[in-house]
Amino acid sequence: MDKELIRVEDLEIRYETDDGIVYALNGVSLHVEEGETLGLVGETGAGKTTLAKGILRLIPSPPGKVVGGKVMYDGKDLLQLSDTEMHKIRGNAISMVFQDPMTSLNPVMTVGDQIAEVISVHNPGLSKEEVRERVIAILAKVGISSDRIDEFPHQFSGGMKQRVIIAIALACNPKLLLADEPTTALDVTIQAQVLDMIQNLKKELGTAMILISHDLGVVAQTCDRVAIIYAGRIVETGNLHDIYHNPQHPYTLGLLESIPSLTKNVKRLNPIKGLMPDPTDLPPGCPFAPRCNHATAKCSEAVPELREIEPGHFSRCIRTFSEGERK
Amino acid sequence: MWKYILKRLLMMIPVLLGVTFLVFFIMNMTPGDPAAIILGDQATPEAIAQLREELGLNDPLLLRYVRYIVDMLHGDFGESYKNGISVASQVLDKFPNTAILAICGIFVALAIGIPVGIISARKQYSALDNVSMVLSLIGVSMPVFWLGLLLSLLFALKLGWFPSQGMGSGFLPLLRSLVLPAITLGTGSAATVARMTRSSMLEVIRQDYISTARSKGLSEKVITKRHMFRNALIPIVTAVGLQFGHLLGGAMLTETVFSWPGLGRLMIDSLNSKDIPMVLGSVLFMTIMFSFVNLFIDIVYAFIDPRIKSLYKKSGFKKKKAKGVAA
């Protein structure tokens, strides 16, 4: 469990658009250990998807541009690999599940062919029959009966499509699964089913996962560690207990407070006031300072460094919060 | 599916009636007396009057139209005013010549248009893209006869590589005589096909399932061929089909420039001599060809896109009737 699988160091990604440069990722560092699940939490536009696509080098360029950093996997920097070497990693060692199952499958190919494609490209020695057997096996794992193998995506419901996409992602037993909000587009009941299924398959195959979500509930249920991302930077990271019971960054605090509680009698939700700063025009200091209740003059001078609060628990805030101070 | 085809065939009947009606009336509205044209300059007024009586030109227009339709339903398309040969036999006689030219023309269009369109889309805004789009704009707007004249001047008169006029008999002479008219016809169509391919590919390139395909580790070549092109095909097939339909009806300008003995020239000649049955016959034939090509394209759609196929399966007669009753 303790072997490091992937390490992202100071990853910086920008989108150069006509309206200016979008600073999507501004030096993100994180690591995932073998078999571990890391939850990546942040609001829309924080850079979650850019990070996942950046790891797999799927950022469309132009306008996207990786400005700096490293993605170390298996002793190699993925950002330095040739295209052919990268093709061997994608879908094989590292695969990705996308947000919207409705648009993520090719509408003119049968689901069987779409799964078979990833198996045969990474196992060129297999015969057609062997590939088909594997497709049937993986379909069974995601709970789809084999007689639907020759159907087209439009004959599947949203939840079933997401199962197919997960089957594609797991078909080659990847070491790491990047799940980009895999349940956001689904009904709540289907969400639970799909999450359970991902969890079980992950355990069965020993796959590590980065689960991208804006739902702290989902993350609490599935993850070992959590990283909170804000305006293209990790602002707090630690294990589940650290984040939920001893949150240190005011942004994490705000996120936790904005969850409706079933036990306390609260009349109104408590959202974080304001909006995330414009990523084309980030403030020089802590990007959260304009929305922060605890901000001081020092906060807008420079971006704070990540500080280790307790072993393995880091926060990008100049303050340390004790139990009583959090309100 | 068969029901759908039958329905489409039945829908051709009103189209054909409408077209014959329009052409019939327009031809009769234009100045000039067919009887006088047939008999020539030296004809006496008595002879003209007698011929008018024989041809039934003195009867009311509507009666003549009905007579024409009734004859047509008996398979009789009338005889040419000019030489008395049956219209049907003349049209069928010229059609193979036009068909050969059309097939070669569309082949040129596909061979140039599709690769250029795909490359332009893959390298959007590159120098290559800009150059080929400017060229295709020129190709679309250039008058065909002018290109034909230029080609014929250079390759036939100056260099003497290919004949400038007529259709060769025997395989090799035929091939040689085809080169210039086919290029002339194909260039305009190639430009249309290239522009359509490019825009349709660009629409597909941004789709989520292309990201999925990339995340599987497929090479760009496979992604372009299997995932992008197949999804981009429908508008391309539509454009190619329309072009082909036009070409099958006889390319009047090209056939005139190269003295190609096809339908287009037959029609021009008959128009000049006000040979009404001949004009009607060839227009009718063109309409039928055009409708059939369109029907064929609609059937091809079902093989490209499984969603359209399942739509066709649903659209039988029963549904339509039920709708009519409800209305």
Side-chain angles (χ1 to χ4, degrees), chain B residues 184-250:
Chain B
T184 308
L185 267 188
T187 310
S189 301
T192 311
V193 171
R195 297 183 78 82
M196 191 50 97
T197 305
R198 177 180 180 268
S199 68
S200 169
M201 282 288 285
L202 281 177
E203 213 160 280
V204 172
I205 275 175
R206 311 247 176 276
Q207 296 289 328
D208 286 347
Y209 52 80
I210 300 303
S211 298
T212 307
R214 287 218 172 87
S215 79
K216 286 177 177 176
L218 303 175
S219 68
E220 284 301 309
K221 217 165 139 189
V222 172
I223 294 175
T224 308
K225 208 170 69 185
R226 212 184 282 166
H227 292 273
M228 292 178 185
F229 188 60
R230 265 207 73 188
N231 277 290
L233 256 182
I234 292 232
I236 300 173
V237 167
T238 312
V240 172
L242 285 179
Q243 297 286 334
F244 191 56
H246 276 300
L247 298 192
L248 269 189

Side-chain angles (χ1 to χ4, degrees), chain A residues 135-149:
Chain A
V135 172
I136 290 172
I138 189 81
L139 275 177
K141 272 189 188 154
V142 296
I144 295 176
S145 89
S146 60
D147 52 350
R148 303 199 66 181
I149 186 169

